[in-house]
CSV table of all heavy atoms in Angstrom, one decimal:
chain,number,residue,atom,x,y,z
A,1947,ALA,N,59.3,91.9,49.0
A,1947,ALA,CA,60.5,91.1,49.4
A,1947,ALA,C,61.4,90.9,48.2
A,1947,ALA,O,62.6,90.6,48.4
A,1947,ALA,CB,60.0,89.8,49.9
A,1948,GLY,N,60.9,90.9,47.0
A,1948,GLY,CA,61.7,90.5,45.8
A,1948,GLY,C,63.1,91.0,45.8
A,1948,GLY,O,64.0,90.2,45.6
A,1949,GLY,N,63.3,92.3,45.9
A,1949,GLY,CA,64.6,92.9,45.8
A,1949,GLY,C,65.5,92.9,47.0
A,1949,GLY,O,66.6,93.3,46.9
A,1950,LEU,N,65.0,92.3,48.1
A,1950,LEU,CA,65.8,92.4,49.3
A,1950,LEU,C,66.9,91.4,49.4
A,1950,LEU,O,66.9,90.4,48.7
A,1950,LEU,CB,64.8,92.2,50.5
A,1950,LEU,CG,63.7,93.3,50.7
A,1950,LEU,CD1,62.8,92.9,51.8
A,1950,LEU,CD2,64.3,94.6,51.0
A,1951,PRO,N,67.9,91.7,50.2
A,1951,PRO,CA,69.1,90.8,50.4
A,1951,PRO,C,68.6,89.4,50.8
A,1951,PRO,O,67.7,89.3,51.7
A,1951,PRO,CB,70.0,91.4,51.4
A,1951,PRO,CG,69.3,92.7,51.9
A,1951,PRO,CD,68.1,92.9,51.0
A,1952,GLY,N,69.1,88.4,50.2
A,1952,GLY,CA,68.8,87.0,50.6
A,1952,GLY,C,67.6,86.5,49.8
A,1952,GLY,O,67.5,85.3,49.7
A,1953,ALA,N,66.9,87.4,49.1
A,1953,ALA,CA,65.6,86.9,48.4
A,1953,ALA,C,65.9,85.9,47.4
A,1953,ALA,O,65.1,85.0,47.1
A,1953,ALA,CB,64.9,88.1,47.8
A,1954,ALA,N,67.1,86.0,46.7
A,1954,ALA,CA,67.3,85.1,45.6
A,1954,ALA,C,67.3,83.6,46.1
A,1954,ALA,O,67.0,82.7,45.3
A,1954,ALA,CB,68.7,85.4,45.0
A,1955,GLN,N,67.6,83.4,47.3
A,1955,GLN,CA,67.7,82.0,47.8
A,1955,GLN,C,66.4,81.6,48.6
A,1955,GLN,O,66.4,80.6,49.3
A,1955,GLN,CB,68.9,81.8,48.7
A,1955,GLN,CG,70.2,81.8,48.0
A,1955,GLN,CD,71.3,81.4,48.9
A,1955,GLN,OE1,71.4,80.3,49.4
A,1955,GLN,NE2,72.1,82.4,49.2
A,1956,VAL,N,65.4,82.5,48.6
A,1956,VAL,CA,64.3,82.2,49.4
A,1956,VAL,C,63.0,82.1,48.6
A,1956,VAL,O,62.8,82.8,47.6
A,1956,VAL,CB,64.1,83.4,50.4
A,1956,VAL,CG1,62.8,83.2,51.3
A,1956,VAL,CG2,65.3,83.5,51.4
A,1957,THR,N,62.2,81.0,48.9
A,1957,THR,CA,60.9,80.8,48.2
A,1957,THR,C,59.8,81.4,49.0
A,1957,THR,O,59.7,81.1,50.2
A,1957,THR,CB,60.7,79.3,48.0
A,1957,THR,OG1,61.8,78.8,47.3
A,1957,THR,CG2,59.4,79.1,47.1
A,1958,LEU,N,59.0,82.2,48.4
A,1958,LEU,CA,57.8,82.7,49.1
A,1958,LEU,C,56.5,82.0,48.5
A,1958,LEU,O,56.3,82.0,47.3
A,1958,LEU,CB,57.6,84.2,48.8
A,1958,LEU,CG,58.3,85.2,49.8
A,1958,LEU,CD1,59.8,85.0,49.7
A,1958,LEU,CD2,57.9,86.6,49.5
A,1959,TYR,N,55.8,81.4,49.3
A,1959,TYR,CA,54.6,80.7,48.9
A,1959,TYR,C,53.4,81.7,49.0
A,1959,TYR,O,53.4,82.6,49.7
A,1959,TYR,CB,54.3,79.5,49.7
A,1959,TYR,CG,55.3,78.4,49.5
A,1959,TYR,CD1,56.6,78.4,50.2
A,1959,TYR,CD2,55.1,77.4,48.5
A,1959,TYR,CE1,57.5,77.4,49.9
A,1959,TYR,CE2,56.1,76.4,48.3
A,1959,TYR,CZ,57.3,76.4,48.9
A,1959,TYR,OH,58.2,75.5,48.7
A,1960,PRO,N,52.3,81.4,48.2
A,1960,PRO,CA,51.2,82.3,48.3
A,1960,PRO,C,50.5,82.3,49.6
A,1960,PRO,O,50.6,81.3,50.4
A,1960,PRO,CB,50.2,81.7,47.2
A,1960,PRO,CG,51.0,80.7,46.4
A,1960,PRO,CD,52.1,80.3,47.3
A,1961,ALA,N,49.9,83.5,50.0
A,1961,ALA,CA,49.2,83.6,51.3
A,1961,ALA,C,48.0,82.7,51.2
A,1961,ALA,O,47.3,82.6,50.2
A,1961,ALA,CB,48.8,85.0,51.5
A,1962,VAL,N,47.8,82.0,52.3
A,1962,VAL,CA,46.6,81.1,52.4
A,1962,VAL,C,45.9,81.3,53.8
A,1962,VAL,O,46.6,81.8,54.7
A,1962,VAL,CB,47.0,79.6,52.3
A,1962,VAL,CG1,47.4,79.3,50.9
A,1962,VAL,CG2,48.1,79.2,53.3
A,1963,PRO,N,44.7,80.9,53.9
A,1963,PRO,CA,44.0,81.0,55.3
A,1963,PRO,C,44.7,80.0,56.2
A,1963,PRO,O,45.2,78.9,55.7
A,1963,PRO,CB,42.6,80.6,55.0
A,1963,PRO,CG,42.4,80.6,53.5
A,1963,PRO,CD,43.7,80.5,52.9
A,1964,MET,N,44.8,80.3,57.5
A,1964,MET,CA,45.4,79.3,58.4
A,1964,MET,C,44.4,78.1,58.6
A,1964,MET,O,43.2,78.2,58.3
A,1964,MET,CB,45.6,80.0,59.8
A,1964,MET,CG,46.9,80.8,59.7
A,1964,MET,SD,47.2,81.7,61.3
A,1964,MET,CE,47.4,80.4,62.4
Side-chain angles (χ1 to χ4, degrees):
L1950 295 176
Q1955 286 186 72
V1956 176
T1957 307
L1958 271 64
Y1959 290 86
V1962 291
M1964 282 176 64

